[in-house]
Amino acid sequence: MSKPASAAQVGVICAIAAYSMWGVAPVYFKQLMVLPAAEILMHRVIWSVVLLVGFIAALKQWPKVISALKDKRVMVILFFAGLLLGANWLLFIWAINNDHLLDASLGYYINPLINVFLGRVFLGERLRNLQRTAVILAVVGVGILVLSYGEIPWIALVLASSFSVYGLLRKQVAVDSLPGLFIETLMLSPLAIGYWVLYGSQYSNLFNNSIDLNLLIFAAGIVTTAPLLCFTAAARRIMYSTLGFFQYIGPTLMFILAVYLYGEPLEEARLTTFAFVWLALAVFSADSIFNFRRQRIQARAAALQAAEIRAAELESTPDK
């Protein structure tokens, strides 16, 4: 097997691992329901920083961290990105532990479509016809839920929007995932430590907890960083367009867990909303495939044309 093919296979395995870990993360957070959502977030931030220090040292990425720390603009953007990420984590944890996992699943299904919308609004990216159709289908699906229940699915929309805006901010700075996450969580750590000191629950004193509970708490860093490391490894080995097709593993696993393991009610209106969103994602994925193939054909045609022009120039050049 050739090295590119082998690297691509490793990339696919890493992508599946990353999105699968994100998809089953609710099982972990359900084990920490004795803690308030804010306290779980606090541990997630603190133990992520501890673990990331080791990873950055092992992967020799301190120069990238130092370079980012010296850039004021990068630090400002990472600060606000970190706040958004922390808010997204907090709502996600709260949703899981308050039986709103279906809403969280819907949010992460909608996320790619909001990315497209934000790209159009803030980056001037033009929506192709099928992309526009996908966004409209998703809006119709959410509208059905609003008309049926008389309320906006705010958990799904806030989760999707906050993560999309976070991604938009991260696109503005050339900082790799691992150093970026380390700086973001490092800047959140004073807030986390302050919460621990001032508002910690009876479980904030780790010496009074059982070993099992403390192990679960310490695992917050692994739950945060392990899928990111797999995602980064995948992004380096396979095309980003290919990586995007694996992103639906996460919300699909959340959907299955919510319905079949935790018994969250799936009313007709909610199922109709999911159906419209799934249809929108099918249209969106089809557009991505068509566009990718079109770009490959155009690239091959351009390369062939360049080769023909070069050959013609060589033929027309007189021998010396």
Side-chain angles (χ1 to χ4, degrees):
M1 183 181 295
S2 65
K3 287 186 178 180
S6 178
Q9 284 191 354
V10 173
V12 168
I13 293 171
C14 288
I16 294 173
Y19 286 111
S20 297
M21 283 188 279
W22 278 321
V24 300
V27 176
Y28 163 76
F29 291 115
K30 284 282 190 181
Q31 306 306 308
L32 290 174
M33 287 182 64
V34 294
L35 276 65
E39 190 159 326
I40 298 174
L41 173 64
M42 172 199 82
H43 285 296
R44 190 172 185 178
V45 170
I46 291 171
W47 302 117
S48 292
V49 170
V50 173
L51 201 59
L52 285 167
V53 167
F55 281 129
I56 288 174
L59 297 173
K60 300 179 180 179
Q61 297 207 9
W62 284 117
K64 295 181 180 180
V65 173
I66 294 171
S67 177
L69 291 174
K70 291 180 179 179
D71 191 319
K72 183 178 179 180
R73 175 180 173 275
V74 168
M75 291 300 294
V76 170
I77 292 176
L78 287 180
F79 173 74
F80 286 106
L83 289 178
L84 268 175
L85 186 62
N88 181 274
W89 285 352
L90 178 62
L91 180 57
F92 180 63
I93 295 167
W94 180 89
I96 291 169
N97 291 348
N98 285 274
D99 299 324
H100 291 289
L101 184 53
L102 273 176
D103 289 319
S105 171
L106 179 62
Y108 288 112
Y109 272 129
I110 295 174
N111 176 243
L113 302 175
I114 293 185
N115 287 344
V116 171
F117 175 74
L118 292 180
R120 175 68 182 90
V121 174
F122 294 102
L123 302 179
E125 298 175 353
R126 296 185 61 182
L127 295 182
R128 297 185 291 272
N129 290 335
L130 287 179
Q131 287 180 324
R132 193 177 295 111
T133 300
V135 172
I136 291 172
L137 285 171
V139 170
V140 170
V142 172
I144 290 172
L145 198 60
V146 172
L147 292 175
S148 300
Y149 288 97
E151 60 182 32
I152 297 173
W154 66 272
I155 295 174
L157 293 177
V158 172
L159 281 174
S161 300
S162 59
F163 200 71
S164 292
V165 175
Y166 167 76
L168 187 66
L169 288 175
R170 286 302 306 269
K171 282 177 69 72
Q172 310 304 311
V173 291
V175 180
D176 288 350
S177 298
L178 203 59
L181 180 65
F182 170 69
I183 293 172
E184 289 163 357
T185 50
L186 185 65
M187 288 191 287
L188 288 176
S189 58
L191 296 175
I193 294 172
Y195 179 91
W196 196 348
V197 173
L198 298 175
Y199 303 106
S201 70
Q202 60 179 316
Y203 303 102
S204 62
N205 187 345
L206 300 180
F207 295 103
N208 293 335
N209 296 338
S210 66
I211 295 177
D212 291 344
L213 179 57
N214 279 340
L215 288 175
L216 282 171
I217 289 173
F218 297 149
I222 298 174
V223 170
T224 300
T225 57
L228 179 68
L229 288 172
C230 289
F231 176 84
T232 303
R236 289 175 178 171
R237 290 170 172 82
I238 59 178
M239 290 178 294
Y240 205 73
S241 56
T242 304
L243 185 63
F245 290 111
F246 293 101
Q247 66 187 324
Y248 306 124
I249 293 175
T252 300
L253 289 174
M254 292 179 199
F255 180 89
I256 293 171
L257 289 173
V259 175
Y260 296 104
L261 182 60
Y262 300 121
E264 291 189 16
L266 183 62
E267 303 91 346
E268 184 178 349
R270 191 178 294 273
L271 182 58
T272 302
T273 296
F274 271 100
F276 268 92
V277 171
W278 289 333
L279 180 58
L281 292 174
V283 172
F284 178 79
S285 298
D287 172 79
S288 298
I289 293 172
F290 295 151
N291 186 59
F292 173 69
R293 288 179 177 175
R294 184 166 56 248
Q295 288 179 343
R296 287 186 65 180
I297 292 171
Q298 290 173 349
R300 288 175 181 174
L304 181 60
Q305 185 179 18
E308 290 174 348
I309 293 173
R310 178 60 178 163
E313 289 176 348
L314 291 174
E315 289 178 1
S316 63
T317 301
D319 294 333
K320 292 185 179 179

